[in-house]
Amino acid sequence: MNQLPTSVSSTTQPGPALSLTYGYGTDRGLRRELNEDSYIAADPVFAVADGMGGHEAGEIASGLCVRALAGIPQLATGERSITASVLQQYLVRADNSIREAAGARAGTTLTGAVVVEQMGMPYWLVLNIGDSRTYRLSQGRFEQISVDHSEVQELVDAGEITAQEATVHPRRHVVTRALGTGDETEADYWLLPVEEGDRVLVCSDGLTGELADEDILRILSTVAQPQDAVDALIQAALRSGGRDNVTAIVVDASNVAHDDGAGTTAPRYSPGDTDEETLPRPLANGAVTQPLPEQAEAGAVIEGEPRR
Ligand code: MG
């Protein structure tokens, strides 16, 4: 059971506590012999890793990656105090353990959202390395938050192909950054204020390779329960061909304490920056820090096989 945070700011007013509900699932798909995706869905960390390497090496790499994240102390305490620099330390740890276990033969992507609190305000701390993706449906807007580290994304950025052409490009699966392989182990990070009713989707490319963003949005905006949405997304990917392992996590946020005028920007920052300089500064007046409800579901670190 998670411990409740006890800090309360001097300007605290009564208010509801942030509530997260989530669902998760993975499927080997219809063509692959192994499921090399891994994931962690354990408040406050929701992340998907897509292993590469074949002959179980990819499965080992993605499993080591989520296991490294599971070692972050805040998963045990329930505190929403994880920072990008802390995450980056654990990614370096994951990178090292993958190299030890598999030489340079295996790597993994990693993306996800970590729920953090700054001055009593909740934020999604989104991270990404590779081409798994984190999306957000917020206030009626559906957006891909993460930016792929892939050859086709570089071609799109250079204006050489369109995003639509990228989806069918022969080199669309070539990842330019991953953990366990290559020189670059630094993830990209984004900090976004949690808005009332936000729905975040974290998924591997087995989902986005089969479904267009419009298809994903249609399911996310019509299926109410997070677990039902996850199941519908995975089934749709399988119906579309299921050519790769497919993994999805859906997280809904409600009872978001809101401080008008705060957190309307979504700055991007790197873990090298200090929090003081780079985090958005919510107004102190009216900021609410409430003890979090007991988490109904214990942290689950699940790799490979479907949950059901
Ligand atoms: Mg994949």
Side-chain angles (χ1 to χ4, degrees), residues 37 50 204-206 244-245:
D37 288 354
D50 180 349
S204 63
D205 68 342
D244 193 3
N245 311 142

Side-chain angles (χ1 to χ4, degrees), residues 14-293:
L18 175 67
S19 170
L20 299 177
T21 54
Y22 53 93
Y24 45 85
T26 189
D27 197 286
R28 183 164 54 87
L30 305 176
R31 306 273 186 88
R32 299 286 178 93
E33 284 183 28
L34 297 170
N35 191 342
E36 299 191 310
D37 288 354
S38 296
Y39 63 94
I40 175 168
D43 186 2
V45 176
F46 304 93
V48 168
D50 180 349
M52 299 164 275
H55 300 288
E56 298 183 356
E59 190 176 355
I60 290 167
S62 65
L64 286 170
C65 183
V66 299
R67 256 181 239 120
L69 291 181
I72 297 175
Q74 283 91 335
L75 268 73
T77 65
E79 289 173 276
R80 302 200 188 280
S81 58
I82 297 173
T83 62
S85 49
V86 166
L87 282 173
Q88 189 59 44
Q89 287 169 26
Y90 281 83
L91 297 200
V92 170
R93 205 172 286 188
D95 184 72
N96 289 333
S97 57
I98 294 166
R99 285 169 199 272
E100 276 172 27
R105 293 184 299 112
T108 186
T109 72
L110 177 70
T111 193
V114 178
V115 180
V116 302
E117 219 171 69
Q118 298 289 337
M119 298 182 69
M121 299 291 294
Y123 292 85
W124 303 107
L125 174 55
V126 172
L127 73 155
N128 182 60
I129 182 162
D131 68 348
S132 297
R133 289 181 179 174
T134 300
Y135 291 84
R136 180 169 71 152
L137 177 58
S138 181
Q139 311 288 305
R141 268 183 66 186
F142 183 56
E143 266 187 307
Q144 182 183 335
I145 306 299
S146 59
V147 177
D148 296 350
H149 298 132
S150 66
E151 281 196 1
V152 291
Q153 182 64 46
E154 290 178 0
L155 292 172
V156 169
D157 291 344
E160 293 179 26
I161 61 172
T162 66
Q164 183 58 40
E165 287 165 344
T167 64
V168 293
H169 195 281
R171 292 183 67 79
R172 64 187 176 279
H173 298 299
V174 181
V175 171
T176 53
R177 205 186 295 182
L179 292 173
T181 177
D183 308 321
E184 181 73 88
T185 60
E186 183 141 320
D188 293 332
Y189 295 91
W190 295 261
L191 193 66
L192 307 145
V194 178
E195 303 287 351
E196 181 62 33
D198 272 7
R199 170 166 274 191
V200 162
L201 166 68
V202 185
C203 62
S204 63
D205 68 342
L207 186 76
T208 54
E210 298 292 357
L211 303 180
D213 283 4
E214 306 88 79
D215 303 321
I216 293 172
L217 172 59
R218 191 177 315 117
I219 291 169
L220 288 180
S221 57
T222 55
V223 181
Q225 293 303 318
Q227 187 62 56
D228 293 343
V230 165
D231 295 344
L233 287 166
I234 290 175
Q235 289 306 314
L238 296 179
R239 279 198 304 274
S240 176
R243 280 157 280 206
D244 193 3
N245 311 142
V246 52
T247 303
I249 302 171
V250 169
V251 188
D252 286 353
S254 57
N255 290 335
V256 179
H258 218 282
D259 183 0
D260 287 343
T264 51
T265 57
R268 177 174 168 169
Y269 69 106
S270 71
D273 299 333
T274 66
D275 291 353
E276 288 73 22
E277 288 168 351
T278 55
L279 293 181
R281 307 299 294 266
L283 300 176
N285 59 316
V288 175
T289 304
Q290 286 287 311
L292 299 168

